[in-house]
Amino acid sequence: MTPLRRLCGLAVLAWAGLTASLACHADPQVLHYPATQAPAQPLEIHGALDSDLMAPLLADFQARHPEIELVYRNLTTLALYRRFMSADATSADVVMSSAMPWQYQLANRGYAQSLDTAEARAWPQESRWRRELFGITFEPVVIIYRRDAIASDASPDSHEALLRLLTEQRQRLTGRVVTYDPWRSGAGYTYATADSHMSPRYWELVAALGGVKAALADTTGDMLDGLIAGRYDIGYNLLGSYARDVVARHPQLEMVIPDDYALVMQRLALIPKRAPHPETARRFLNYLLSRQGQQAIRDKTPLGAVHPDLEGPETAHGLRRTLGDAIHPIAIDPGLLATLDALKRHSLLERWQREYTRLSDNAP
């Protein structure tokens, strides 16, 4: 998913004076931290989050709980959902995903158990559903462009500015823009749905993307790879948490959070009703909600902390202070279910396709 390479082989992670062993299985998407204190208590986490981003959180948690043996399985969002709904669901103690509608559906259908702790009760209302589903990160959706291709005075720093740029420089930008494919990507579909509700000019923007024959990608990592290689000049609706460190390492890239409105995705975590190890699951999810766990998210990952007491430019508090009313987290409410309704999904995707191809037969 990101261009960051997966961890492999046998590594040793030093953390708070303790040492955790990280083994790479035959499946490179599996991380394993053996317990360093007996008796070992198992915990298996299934997540749609790259292993290299998850590793520091697992190491920090195990340093605090050396008796817990951790297994983390990294899957795509839709594979995670399908696995949960299969017989393999019984192996997961905690499930984390950026596919917000699918996570909400699981909780709404009664597949999640309640977490009754002080941290859960105090968690911000806008970042949870009951005490069964919790938004643990705060990740803006961004635009990225190449400095050598886009003049600073033409920066696509808003959706309106991007639409104007694609319209006025259509010929020059043809084949030089990339965005999510909402047909194949759960994240892309979620952002398309949210965009269509936020902006009355969204469908003009989709038509403009089609007018420049924008490439359609499955992941933010695919888009970043193309931007780094120079295949694209502009990327629209990338996940800022994955993009931030990559952009910092490549000075030819610029990341902007749109200042007219900025969608924010939250990774949603739950404990399945059938979790085989509910006690260790509760300890891990409570860690993610705790000040210590959120500090690790803020300081050791680019994911963005939700905890209201934490400061910093990438935290929910910091982004709200900087962008004010432009911040629009995707709501964790029944509206997410509407995006999964078969008729509504088909209708939105069909319109997206019509608008995307509307200008394709017309001369620039």
Side-chain angles (χ1 to χ4, degrees):
M1 310 240 276
T2 71
L4 302 172
R5 297 295 168 235
R6 303 298 193 267
L7 300 173
C8 196
L10 183 64
V12 176
L13 299 179
W15 198 283
L18 297 174
T19 301
S21 173
L22 171 61
C24 191
H25 288 217
D27 181 348
Q29 304 306 323
V30 178
L31 302 181
H32 179 216
Y33 292 73
T36 60
Q37 180 177 302
Q41 302 175 36
L43 171 64
E44 182 160 327
I45 303 159
H46 294 182
L49 176 59
D50 281 8
S51 300
D52 45 10
L53 298 182
M54 193 65 185
L57 302 181
L58 298 175
D60 185 52
F61 175 74
Q62 198 193 47
R64 300 170 190 277
H65 301 282
E67 76 284 2
I68 294 181
E69 178 178 1
L70 288 166
V71 173
Y72 175 70
R73 300 186 186 278
N74 177 33
L75 302 111
T76 66
T77 54
L78 295 182
L80 181 71
Y81 177 80
R82 287 193 293 267
R83 180 166 183 156
F84 185 96
M85 298 304 293
S86 74
D88 288 335
T90 55
S91 67
D93 296 306
V94 175
V95 176
M96 304 165 46
S97 177
S98 58
M100 297 177 66
W102 285 267
Q103 286 288 91
Y104 186 90
Q105 183 186 70
L106 293 178
N108 185 260
R109 289 182 173 179
Y111 288 110
Q113 58 179 275
S114 180
L115 180 66
D116 188 17
T117 64
E119 287 79 2
R121 291 190 293 271
W123 202 242
Q125 183 64 44
E126 65 272 17
S127 292
R128 65 181 170 92
W129 182 75
R130 299 178 178 173
R131 287 199 292 273
E132 300 173 16
L133 186 65
F134 298 89
I136 58 169
T137 63
F138 203 79
E139 305 173 53
V141 179
V142 303
I143 298 169
I144 294 178
Y145 66 92
R146 289 185 60 93
R147 296 172 187 264
D148 57 357
I150 307 297
S152 59
D153 59 359
S155 168
D157 53 10
S158 70
H159 296 83
E160 288 288 331
L162 177 61
L163 174 58
R164 183 167 58 251
L165 185 63
L166 296 179
T167 302
E168 294 176 355
Q169 300 190 33
R170 178 181 171 188
Q171 187 168 14
R172 187 180 72 81
L173 289 174
T174 294
R176 305 295 300 169
V177 181
V178 64
T179 190
Y180 271 113
D181 185 340
W183 287 85
R184 299 197 309 263
S185 165
Y189 173 70
T190 301
Y191 304 155
T193 302
D195 272 332
S196 68
H197 292 154
M198 285 299 306
S199 172
R201 303 194 70 186
Y202 172 65
W203 296 113
E204 292 179 58
L205 179 57
V206 174
L209 289 166
V212 298
K213 296 181 172 58
L216 303 179
D218 290 353
T219 70
T220 287
D222 292 340
M223 291 189 265
L224 287 169
D225 287 346
L227 286 159
I228 292 167
R231 294 195 302 274
Y232 310 123
D233 296 333
I234 301 173
Y236 172 61
N237 269 8
L238 288 80
L239 193 54
S241 56
Y242 280 16
R244 191 182 80 189
D245 288 350
V246 174
V247 170
R249 294 196 305 273
H250 294 86
Q252 74 272 30
L253 301 182
E254 180 75 18
M255 183 176 86
V256 294
I257 300 175
D259 58 18
D260 49 353
Y261 72 89
L263 297 177
V264 176
M265 184 276 292
Q266 297 188 78
R267 292 178 193 273
L268 300 182
L270 60 83
I271 301 172
K273 273 276 178 66
R274 296 186 292 165
H277 312 107
E279 178 54 36
T280 52
R282 285 190 287 268
R283 289 163 73 181
F284 182 73
L285 183 51
N286 202 61
Y287 160 79
L288 293 176
L289 304 181
S290 70
R291 186 183 180 94
Q292 294 81 6
Q294 288 284 299
Q295 282 177 326
I297 288 174
R298 181 193 65 181
D299 298 340
K300 301 297 181 181
T301 80
L303 298 174
V306 178
H307 200 292
D309 292 343
L310 294 181
E311 298 279 354
E314 311 300 332
T315 65
H317 188 275
L319 286 172
R320 286 193 172 101
R321 185 169 55 192
T322 301
L323 296 173
D325 292 341
I327 283 289
H328 286 275
I330 298 172
I332 306 172
D333 64 20
L336 290 170
L337 292 179
T339 68
L340 298 181
D341 178 84
L343 290 177
K344 291 180 179 179
R345 178 179 171 85
H346 180 77
S347 176
L348 183 135
L349 288 174
E350 285 294 320
R351 181 170 184 187
W352 194 95
Q353 191 66 27
R354 286 198 308 273
E355 297 295 342
Y356 181 80
T357 57
R358 180 158 59 88
L359 301 177
S360 60
D361 295 330
N362 300 327

